[in-house]
Amino acid sequence: MAAPPATASAPSLRPSAASPRAAAARSVAVPSGPRTVVPRRDGGRFLGVRAAKAVSGVQSGTVVDDGVQRPWKLSDARLVLEDGSVWKAKSFGASGTQVGEVVFNTSLTGYQEILTDPSYAGQFVLMTNPHIGNTGVNPDDEESNRCFLAGLIIRNLSICTSNWRCTETLEEYLMKRNIMGIYDVDTRAITRRLREDGSLIGVLSTDQSRTDDELLEMAKNWKIVGVDLISGVTCDAPYEWSDKTDSEWEFKKGQSTESFHVVAYDFGIKHNILRRLTSYGCKITVVPANWPASEVLNLRPDGVFFSNGPGDPAAVPYAVKTVQEIIGKVPVFGICMGHQLIGQALGGKTFKMKFGHHGGNHPVCDLRSGRVDISAQNHNYAVDPESLPEGVKVTHINLNDNSCAGLQYPKMKLLSLQYHPESSPGPHDSDLAFGEFIEMMKNNRL
Amino acid sequence: MGGQTALNLAVSLADSGALDRLGVRLIGASLPAIRAAEDRQLFKQAMDRIGLKTPPSGIGTTLEECISIAEDIGEFPLIVRPAFTLGGTGGGIAYNRAEFEDICRAGLAASHTQQVLVEKSLLGWKEYELEVMRDMADNVVIICSIENIDPMGVHTGDSITVAPAQTLTDKEYQRLRDYSVAIIREIGVECGGSNVQFAVNPADGEVMVIEMNPRVSRSSALASKATGFPIAKMAAKLSVGYTLDQIPNDITKKTPASFEPSIDYVVTKIPRFAFEKFPGSEPVLTTQMKSVGEAMALGRTFQESFQKAVRSLETGFAGWGCAPIKELDWDWEKLKYSLRVPNPDRIHAIYAAFKKGMRIQDIHEISFIDKWFLTELKELVDVEQFLISRGLDQLSKDDFYQVKRRGFSDTQIAFATSSSETDVRLRRLALEVAPTYKRVDTCAAEFEANTPYMYSSYEYECESVPTNKKKVLILGGGPNRIGQGIEFDYCCCHASFALREAGYETIMMNSNPETVSTDYDTSDRLYFEPLTVEDVTNVIDLERPDGIIVQFGGQTPLKLALPIQQYLEDKKLAGIHSGDSGCSLPTRTVSAKCLDIIRSWTTKLAKRLNVCGLMNCQYAITTSGEVFLLEANPRASRTVPFVSKAIGHPLAKYASLVMSGVTLPELGYTQEVVPKHVSVKEAVLPFEKFQGCDILLGPEMRSTGEVMGIDYEFSGAFAKAQIAAGQKLPLNGTVFLSLNDLTKRHLAEIGRGFRELGFNIIATSGTAKVLQLEGIPVEPVLKIHEGRPNARDMLKNGQIQVMVITSSGDALDSKDGLQLRRLALAYKVPIITTVDGARATIDAIKSLKNKSIETLALQDYFQTTDASQNLQAAQSAS
């Protein structure tokens, strides 16, 4: 791009993008008045230099005349949002141009788990915690075998790692997985926009040859609603799972005596769901999202689990059909996408929320006991409880907005939760939900 | 809520049967919960039950037991932690046998239950704290995680701490969270806040539980300010039966309080010390807390918040580095010692070590400070090097942003670029680089929050949104230090309340997390910012207040108002610093003639100085009745809260209204108030925390707080003040008298006084001779250097209940006398060092013997004066 770097990360609002949203964005209170782009004094001699070693990439600056380097990198990336705002930033990880839906996550810990959570497929995750990368990355904290998200947006990339389990820096890790990241942007300002406007489509680019207009056009033409993202994240073929939560991290007291065979539908399943179910005594067969219900029922499992996954539940009618064919026949448990699919299978409606729930601190009330759990949440769609048939009980609500957070339908031997009892990242408060599923399977055997 | 004092009191009340007899229930932390958390043995057992590890240790109730535990553990260093004490009083780290025995003795004496924990040292392990809340329905939430930059071995109150924790993965954090929840349940704190401390081995993540406080602590105050979640306020609601989901989040108003705050900034707290005031005590940090105050700062990154915290301390640094610090001249040995042994200036030693080329790894190996923090600090040194290599006009707008985002102040930039602060500011503003203000909202911007609790950062979007109202900016007192404590915060808060009620928008600016002024609901708007010229000017530029009040925050804001400052520095204090001396209102010994002179001079002085608001004058009166003016300060003084309470008029509120233009007649406050009762103020001194220093008072102020006693008689008021200050006045027993030549003429009077109360007297030879001549029975005792058995032996054997020693100040006294005074302190024997003090003590003991203490509410003393009416009148007048 021809434009020189403006302020460190102040977005230069394009005059041509005079949409109402852009106008609103421009009126954000800035004490010194609207910031303008000033020509760079040094005539463009400073070129962003990608570091030879990723570790020192953040620190490597550019060569200046007197030999003392800037201990920071210059801006070399842009985030263009569909509201017309352009955010200067510094890149790490992969380079290129990428389009996706920007969502924020308020978890203070667990960026690696978030990076590998398939539910984030197609999304840019903005972490509100300013310091990311402090503990690096390690092999035990992976939630799937890949990073499915479109990119990572953070305020500050750690210049070193500190953790006994760390094997790699975040930058190295993203580079290897070809995932784009940007840092040194006002993530709080973007979060406030996402909060006001709902989630926004954005384009992340390190490509200097593309104009802001082109990127904006890309953002405007990209759609996530109605897109089947699950087919891109599910497994190719069935497999068995037998890993428990590692003894070092196990927090549940007591050993399971009985064993249950559970078939788990992989709509983008997080490994920790599988680990928790195994810790509770399940032997699991994981099947792809499009696996026929009849074949699953032929295995005569004790229960069927419908996993979390990315995107719009309305975009995967085949999955809804599968759920319909299974519920009522064996005990079932659904989490997140699984919960929404169950909602649809029961004839209910799902809708896209304004900006979803993405964090590790949401209070959920179990209406049956009155107990409040602090929960990990990550969803943009929710089930409308009004649309559900009679007999379906709303068992949990999110106390922040009273949205439906859990369902129970005793007649169909069905349980589902909108949030993440498996945590990882997040609090373990709701782990007992897995125990409830076990109880349900146990009672079904009697 | 009242910390360790309240907790210990609760235990005593329960033990004495008073709670049962009166049918009073403890709410929040029950007695068994207090015991389980505070009793070291019960706590270890509780942790065993829930499968959590504690460091290898044992409980001793005698020195012999302690030694045998030490032998079992097998290696030094060892940590000694007394049960039921405040701020780790009486504890410490022992590196050898002799040191160990000394600390154990002090610890056993300090403990409420004569119990100390002898524990294997986890030096070098990382230290974390979690603030936990539980409601009666057993819902538990974590309010804040805190990581200590100083590893294990330094009391958390003396550590530089950061929130949220920075070097934990989710698995590790959730493990600490699970443990905290399990601990609050096992200990049985049925509702309210608690604080749990963990040590984590940086090599393998092993976790040990260090301790749990079943109460709000200084960390809870910090956590409240750091997150915007008001722990004490919520704990109070929970204790009367509300559950967390029934209470709205105080900041968002819409979401419930049953959540865990998420923060999108970094908070750094740095303690402030006063070792220079306690000569003889080594400036070394251990498990016994020695700091007198603290500053907190918020920034978007660790670097920004750390630099802001350093300059908030007001110890002469405009940030970290970019200054000619003394450590730069040290040799490697001295520097390494300062890196190895925790001390108040360790951060400056780190800076010097980096500047001299030491590597991160080496500093880490010497100090055990986590490399994450060291690397962040190292980058600040790199930025300084970059600045040094460029001139001010070579810095681009982007450069400026990058530097300011790392927390560098204009002063620091000026130092590094060899220019002036003004030049930096002008250049910066010319490039349009100004701070933005972000809001603290408990939820990392997820929900809308209209609470204007703000901090600065150099970002894109400013959320401050100033109003066009009539407004006043009040500058707070900054970190607590000796000579400037919460008295000034009292004044700032009252000023804010009064001006708010009078129709002004009040804007508070302060950096002290221990204060009420930094509650987000004390003023209309709060800027949690350092109190420096740069930071204050930035807020003024943005807010454009109609007035700024600097009178109430003590020295801190006054220093910012340069012109008056020169006058203030003129100190000619003699004798004991007024902050350390006890005082009485009304006066007890000042003649009517002297009082008339003082009244007339004070009025003239105020008019001549053209003071509007408060002024404080200090006078001295010679034995012949001559009056001298020592000092006059055109500001609130530390006695304002005392005087306000003694006379029943809110002086700080009046003063703030006066400054906004209301007259004293409009306030209805034109007469000097002469109350019928007597109020006595007594200083609280922290000597027991400072090993080795003498306890004699002097012109340097050393008290860290004060208490007040009220009664209709002076003797009763004095007795109450002594009890409140922790002096347990004996009603009988033996008094040790040792008076110097200057005060010997009062000896007979003092001796008779104690005899009449039934005390036996022991005295050193000179004193004893005088008493014998007066016909007062006395038993002579040897001075320490004269042989044995001597006064020290008697003290150790519990044969002395109270001591009156006036120091001769000679070489022998500074050795012999100091030993005796320190020992008296360790054994908690009241020690009186002035003749006036001895007289008052005799009166007080007499009063305590003759009648039981009468307890009245403060309001009961003021049935005739209704202060609030005056205030209402004033507010309607303005």
Side-chain angles (χ1 to χ4, degrees):
Chain A
M1 124 185 132
T7 62
S9 71
S12 52
L13 291 163
R14 295 162 51 265
S16 59
S19 68
R21 265 183 182 170
R26 203 178 289 127
S27 67
V28 165
V30 176
S32 53
R35 303 248 163 90
T36 49
V37 176
V38 289
R40 199 165 66 188
R41 292 170 55 258
D42 44 58
R45 270 186 301 123
F46 300 177
L47 296 170
V49 176
R50 184 171 290 283
K53 260 176 66 200
V55 201
S56 55
V58 185
Q59 283 177 300
S60 90
T62 50
V63 181
V64 296
D65 20 0
D66 56 10
V68 176
Q69 291 194 342
R70 284 187 168 83
W72 55 78
K73 177 171 150 171
L74 295 178
S75 301
D76 63 345
R78 277 168 298 166
L79 170 67
V80 179
L81 296 179
E82 61 173 319
D83 68 2
S85 59
V86 180
W87 305 77
K88 297 265 164 223
K90 298 167 185 178
S91 70
F92 65 108
S95 47
T97 300
Q98 180 77 38
V99 60
E101 183 186 34
V102 185
V103 294
F104 62 84
N105 189 306
T106 65
S107 294
L108 290 176
T109 50
Y111 56 82
Q112 187 184 347
E113 289 87 338
I114 289 165
L115 285 171
T116 51
D117 179 347
S119 296
Y120 286 106
Q123 293 179 325
F124 292 116
V125 178
L126 178 151
M127 297 298 295
T128 60
N129 180 5
H131 281 289
I132 298 294
N134 304 11
T135 50
V137 173
N138 70 72
D140 293 337
D141 291 351
E142 299 275 277
E143 277 304 320
S144 70
N145 301 326
R146 274 180 56 190
C147 290
F148 292 99
L149 81 178
L152 185 63
I153 300 168
I154 60 176
R155 172 62 172 80
N156 206 288
L157 177 64
S158 185
I159 50 180
C160 76
T161 60
S162 168
N163 196 270
W164 54 285
R165 295 190 298 145
C166 171
T167 52
E168 210 174 8
T169 69
L170 176 61
E171 188 172 24
E172 288 167 335
Y173 175 87
L174 289 189
M175 191 80 88
K176 280 187 195 161
R177 281 158 187 76
N178 203 30
I179 301 290
M180 292 181 74
I182 54 166
Y183 68 97
D184 223 358
V185 280
D186 189 345
T187 45
R188 183 172 165 90
I190 298 175
T191 305
R192 280 162 51 87
R193 273 168 202 244
L194 298 176
R195 176 181 89 199
E196 304 297 327
D197 300 348
S199 31
L200 292 169
I201 306 302
V203 180
L204 201 57
S205 182
T206 56
D207 186 347
Q208 312 276 308
S209 67
R210 301 210 190 204
T211 65
D212 292 350
D213 281 326
E214 280 179 61
L215 298 177
L216 180 65
E217 216 42 46
M218 276 179 76
K220 285 183 169 166
N221 292 333
W222 195 78
K223 289 279 171 286
I224 196 165
V225 180
V227 177
D228 171 12
L229 294 166
I230 288 173
S231 56
V233 301
T234 186
C235 57
D236 300 327
Y239 62 94
E240 305 296 317
W241 180 279
S242 55
D243 288 347
K244 290 182 188 179
T245 295
D246 188 88
S247 61
E248 178 167 14
W249 304 108
E250 182 54 74
F251 50 91
K252 183 172 76 78
K253 303 249 156 39
Q255 284 294 311
S256 315
T257 46
E258 267 183 284
S259 170
F260 299 91
H261 180 219
V262 171
V263 173
Y265 268 93
D266 176 11
F267 301 127
I269 198 164
K270 282 171 70 188
H271 285 174
N272 214 45
I273 294 177
L274 299 170
R275 289 186 208 109
R276 293 315 297 150
L277 283 170
T278 313
S279 282
Y280 272 90
C282 297
K283 290 205 291 208
I284 306 168
T285 307
V286 185
V287 298
N290 58 1
W291 206 249
S294 54
E295 293 205 25
V296 167
L297 293 171
N298 283 344
L299 294 172
R300 308 188 68 78
D302 292 300
V304 173
F305 175 79
F306 299 109
S307 86
N308 63 298
D312 183 355
V316 282
Y318 61 89
V320 177
K321 190 166 158 285
T322 306
V323 175
Q324 261 165 351
E325 288 168 16
I326 289 172
I327 55 175
K329 302 193 173 80
V330 286
V332 301
F333 182 31
I335 287 178
C336 203
M337 172 61 80
H339 160 85
Q340 293 162 9
L341 294 173
I342 287 171
Q344 291 216 348
L346 291 170
K349 287 195 181 69
T350 54
F351 62 96
K352 184 159 191 194
M353 305 168 83
K354 195 173 174 191
F355 48 85
H357 296 150
H358 304 276
N361 65 347
H362 283 245
V364 163
C365 183
D366 184 332
L367 298 172
R368 299 164 299 178
S369 64
R371 198 185 70 182
V372 180
D373 284 347
I374 303 302
S375 66
Q377 304 241 350
N378 171 32
H379 61 110
N380 288 311
Y381 295 85
V383 174
D384 175 8
E386 297 297 317
S387 65
L388 292 167
E390 213 170 304
V392 181
K393 244 189 344 196
V394 173
T395 52
H396 297 76
I397 55 164
N398 183 318
L399 289 175
N400 283 340
D401 57 7
N402 293 322
S403 60
C404 169
L407 296 174
Q408 186 179 24
Y409 197 3
K411 195 174 88 184
M412 295 277 209
K413 289 167 281 186
L414 170 161
L415 287 173
S416 72
L417 293 177
Q418 176 58 77
Y419 59 99
H420 294 271
E422 82 282 6
S423 64
S424 195
H428 300 151
D429 293 4
S430 303
D431 190 65
L432 292 172
F434 294 104
E436 267 193 71
F437 180 40
I438 300 294
E439 277 305 301
M440 198 163 64
M441 290 190 284
K442 198 184 275 178
N443 293 337
N444 194 52
R445 272 182 184 178
L446 298 174
Chain B
M1 301 288 176
Q4 196 68 43
T5 308
L7 222 50
N8 288 354
L9 194 57
V11 172
S12 299
L13 283 170
D15 286 346
S16 74
L19 297 181
D20 285 343
R21 183 162 47 82
L22 299 168
V24 176
R25 208 175 99 215
L26 278 178
I27 52 177
S30 64
L31 198 65
I34 296 174
R35 286 200 205 281
E38 292 287 324
D39 183 301
R40 300 290 181 182
Q41 186 79 51
L42 294 178
F43 183 70
K44 280 186 78 71
Q45 289 165 357
M47 294 305 99
D48 283 346
R49 280 199 298 277
I50 51 174
L52 302 188
K53 283 184 268 190
T54 49
S57 67
I59 313 282
T61 54
T62 64
L63 186 59
E64 291 65 40
E65 282 175 24
C66 293
I67 291 168
S68 114
I69 295 161
E71 279 162 1
D72 286 348
I73 296 173
E75 58 176 341
F76 287 103
L78 289 166
I79 311 268
V80 180
R81 299 178 192 272
F84 286 97
T85 63
L86 179 63
T89 301
I93 305 171
Y95 290 87
N96 60 50
R97 172 98 182 214
E99 208 173 27
F100 177 72
E101 292 183 10
D102 284 349
I103 298 174
C104 285
R105 262 187 225 108
L108 288 167
S111 166
H112 197 63
T113 50
Q114 263 228 6
Q115 189 195 53
V116 299
L117 179 81
V118 177
E119 183 179 272
K120 186 183 157 80
S121 154
L122 299 178
L123 284 183
W125 285 38
K126 304 207 281 190
E127 189 169 349
Y128 292 92
E129 280 182 80
L130 270 69
E131 295 299 321
V132 198
M133 289 210 86
R134 185 188 192 197
D135 67 18
M136 303 258 206
D138 193 29
N139 297 311
V140 183
V141 293
I142 307 292
I143 304 306
C144 189
S145 66
I146 300 173
E147 178 162 348
N148 291 8
I149 293 184
D150 292 293
M152 283 294 291
V154 179
H155 190 277
T156 184
D158 283 357
S159 297
I160 301 177
T161 62
V162 171
Q166 294 294 335
T167 63
L168 292 175
T169 60
D170 183 64
K171 279 193 175 61
E172 289 151 359
Y173 171 70
Q174 299 305 340
R175 175 154 73 182
L176 297 188
R177 185 186 183 279
D178 289 343
Y179 287 179
S180 305
V181 173
I183 290 169
I184 197 170
R185 286 185 173 140
E186 180 62 31
I187 295 298
V189 177
E190 59 180 8
C191 79
S194 290
N195 153 277
V196 189
Q197 294 167 26
F198 296 102
V200 174
N201 187 341
D204 58 11
E206 185 181 6
V207 179
M208 295 219 185
V209 183
I210 302 305
E211 65 174 56
M212 187 258 204
N213 292 307
R215 56 175 168 90
V216 293
S217 63
R218 66 192 289 112
S219 298
S220 338
L222 183 77
S224 299
K225 309 283 156 145
T227 60
F229 188 104
I231 293 177
K233 185 172 175 176
M234 293 305 172
K237 291 191 177 179
L238 299 183
S239 70
V240 294
Y242 285 96
T243 56
L244 284 161
D245 53 313
Q246 290 170 338
I247 311 171
N249 173 339
D250 218 36
I251 287 207
T252 65
K253 309 286 185 198
K254 289 174 194 123
T255 54
S258 54
F259 79 114
E260 302 195 339
S262 177
I263 64 184
D264 55 4
Y265 45 86
V266 177
V267 182
T268 304
K269 175 225 51 177
I270 308 185
R272 177 158 169 156
F273 298 91
F275 281 99
E276 70 284 357
K277 304 261 183 185
F278 301 93
S281 63
E282 232 191 317
V284 168
L285 307 182
T286 66
T287 54
Q288 170 166 298
M289 194 177 122
K290 299 187 185 74
S291 60
V292 293
E294 60 193 35
M296 182 184 105
L298 300 91
R300 284 280 276 162
T301 61
F302 166 68
Q303 293 176 340
E304 189 173 47
S305 76
F306 181 78
Q307 295 245 50
K308 284 170 80 175
V310 172
R311 70 176 188 265
S312 297
L313 275 182
E314 297 173 41
T315 46
F317 297 98
W320 187 76
C322 285
I325 65 159
K326 64 178 188 302
E327 283 83 354
L328 287 168
D329 300 327
W330 288 2
D331 62 28
W332 279 114
E333 275 320 298
K334 205 171 170 191
L335 210 49
K336 283 181 181 171
Y337 182 83
S338 189
L339 291 172
R340 184 176 295 117
V341 181
N343 67 87
D345 290 328
R346 178 148 78 167
I347 51 170
H348 301 302
I350 293 172
Y351 168 76
F354 275 134
K355 283 289 269 192
K356 291 160 82 104
M358 199 184 249
R359 295 177 315 139
I360 292 169
Q361 178 65 26
D362 296 331
I363 298 179
H364 166 68
E365 281 170 15
I366 296 176
S367 67
F368 298 114
I369 293 173
D370 194 281
K371 274 192 271 187
W372 191 85
F373 295 108
L374 292 175
T375 310
E376 291 284 320
L377 293 177
K378 169 67 167 55
E379 199 197 51
L380 294 178
V381 178
D382 295 341
V383 172
E384 179 181 342
Q385 287 307 122
F386 166 75
L387 286 172
I388 289 171
S389 75
R390 330 275 338 257
L392 185 59
D393 49 6
Q394 284 174 283
L395 296 177
S396 68
K397 180 171 183 169
D398 186 60
D399 289 338
F400 249 112
Y401 259 106
Q402 291 296 332
V403 172
K404 293 302 280 183
R405 281 173 169 210
R406 286 166 175 79
F408 284 88
S409 64
D410 287 354
T411 312
Q412 285 176 292
I413 299 171
F415 177 85
T417 57
S418 304
S419 48
S420 73
E421 188 184 344
T422 314
D423 290 342
V424 174
R425 183 176 181 82
L426 291 175
R427 171 82 185 143
R428 178 165 66 72
L429 294 179
L431 291 170
E432 296 184 306
V433 179
T436 55
Y437 293 86
K438 297 286 188 190
R439 293 197 180 202
V440 171
D441 61 8
T442 73
C443 61
E446 182 170 8
F447 304 102
E448 189 179 4
N450 292 314
T451 307
Y453 170 10
M454 287 157 298
Y455 66 95
S456 69
S457 72
Y458 282 78
E459 285 274 33
Y460 166 63
E461 183 184 60
C462 183
E463 302 168 29
S464 173
V465 200
T467 68
N468 294 321
K469 293 179 191 159
K470 196 169 64 157
K471 53 173 95 159
V472 174
L473 173 66
I474 302 166
L475 302 183
N480 285 352
R481 66 209 81 168
I482 289 179
Q484 183 167 317
I486 47 166
E487 319 76 68
F488 293 95
D489 201 65
Y490 166 96
C491 295
C492 289
C493 293
H494 277 249
S496 180
F497 299 150
L499 291 169
R500 185 192 240 180
E501 285 163 24
Y504 288 90
E505 178 179 87
T506 56
I507 305 164
M508 184 67 70
M509 192 169 169
N510 200 0
S511 59
N512 182 346
E514 305 176 281
T515 59
V516 178
S517 64
T518 52
D519 278 356
Y520 51 75
D521 48 5
T522 292
S523 302
D524 295 309
R525 296 165 72 78
L526 168 66
Y527 288 88
F528 207 111
E529 287 283 282
L531 291 160
T532 70
V533 173
E534 176 184 348
D535 298 286
V536 174
T537 313
N538 286 339
V539 169
I540 293 172
D541 282 352
L542 176 66
E543 285 281 356
R544 302 272 166 204
D546 297 292
I548 302 168
I549 291 191
V550 297
Q551 224 208 11
F552 294 131
Q555 286 292 340
T556 299
L558 268 187
K559 276 196 179 139
L560 301 168
L562 264 170
I564 341 172
Q565 194 203 346
Q566 282 128 1
Y567 184 82
L568 290 173
E569 293 305 317
D570 181 32
K571 280 194 178 172
K572 290 190 216 69
L573 285 181
I576 296 171
H577 191 282
S578 67
D580 286 352
S581 35
C583 66
S584 164
L585 195 158
T587 54
R588 191 181 178 225
T589 56
V590 183
S591 68
K593 193 178 138 227
C594 290
L595 282 176
D596 283 343
I597 295 173
I598 289 171
R599 284 192 184 100
S600 116
W601 285 11
T602 307
T603 313
K604 282 182 192 152
L605 203 59
K607 287 188 173 159
R608 183 63 181 272
L609 291 174
N610 211 9
V611 173
C612 174
L614 293 164
M615 181 180 82
N616 160 274
C617 299
Q618 289 168 34
Y619 294 93
I621 299 168
T622 63
T623 40
S624 58
E626 227 180 324
V627 178
F628 286 93
L629 172 69
L630 294 178
E631 197 177 326
N633 296 310
R635 57 166 168 86
S637 77
R638 75 183 63 80
T639 44
V640 167
F642 167 71
V643 175
S644 298
K645 285 173 179 118
I647 65 173
H649 286 266
L651 297 181
K653 280 191 175 177
Y654 290 173
S656 59
L657 290 169
V658 165
M659 285 153 78
S660 77
V662 181
T663 65
L664 286 170
E666 280 167 347
L667 282 169
Y669 187 66
T670 52
Q671 288 291 312
E672 178 181 334
V673 180
V674 183
K676 291 196 183 80
H677 55 270
V678 180
S679 304
V680 169
K681 189 193 90 168
E682 185 58 277
V684 175
L685 294 147
F687 292 120
E688 52 189 344
K689 320 259 178 185
F690 294 90
Q691 285 296 325
C693 86
D694 204 341
I695 66 159
L696 287 177
L697 300 173
E700 274 281 320
M701 178 170 164
R702 293 191 286 190
S703 61
T704 50
E706 58 198 37
V707 293
M708 174 171 170
I710 305 182
D711 202 286
Y712 286 109
E713 304 285 335
F714 172 81
S715 56
F718 181 81
K720 286 178 180 174
Q722 293 302 311
I723 293 167
Q727 285 272 43
K728 293 202 177 84
L729 294 180
L731 298 186
N732 47 50
T734 300
V735 57
F736 172 84
L737 298 180
S738 174
L739 271 67
N740 63 22
D741 291 342
L742 208 65
T743 52
K744 275 222 170 68
R745 60 198 166 90
H746 302 289
L747 186 56
E749 175 201 343
I750 294 169
R752 282 205 188 87
F754 275 106
R755 280 301 298 176
E756 278 164 24
L757 292 171
F759 278 78
N760 297 318
I761 299 175
I762 59 168
T764 50
S765 55
T767 309
K769 209 169 285 170
V770 178
L771 285 168
Q772 278 158 353
L773 283 174
E774 292 282 341
I776 300 164
V778 58
E779 191 185 322
V781 62
L782 295 180
K783 288 183 180 170
I784 296 176
H785 71 274
E786 290 171 339
R788 306 187 66 165
N790 56 34
R792 186 175 57 186
D793 298 312
M794 295 194 70
L795 197 56
K796 285 191 172 184
N797 291 336
Q799 292 166 294
I800 296 174
Q801 279 68 47
V802 55
M803 304 175 88
V804 181
I805 312 178
T806 58
S807 160
S808 59
D810 58 19
L812 197 60
D813 177 79
S814 64
K815 196 163 151 272
D816 243 39
L818 181 137
Q819 263 199 50
L820 213 53
R821 288 187 285 267
R822 288 291 328 180
L823 203 64
L825 192 68
Y827 283 85
K828 294 193 173 294
V829 172
I831 178 162
I832 298 140
T833 57
T834 62
V835 172
D836 278 345
R839 285 193 188 119
T841 304
I842 292 167
D843 281 356
I845 294 174
K846 198 183 291 171
S847 160
L848 288 173
K849 283 179 85 114
N850 290 342
K851 54 170 187 171
S852 59
I853 290 180
E854 195 184 359
T855 309
L856 284 177
L858 187 57
Q859 288 85 342
D860 297 334
Y861 287 101
F862 297 108
Q863 279 157 355
T864 47
T865 347
D866 188 348
S868 63
Q869 277 174 7
N870 288 336
L871 197 65
Q872 274 167 8
Q875 268 141 17
S876 52
S878 71

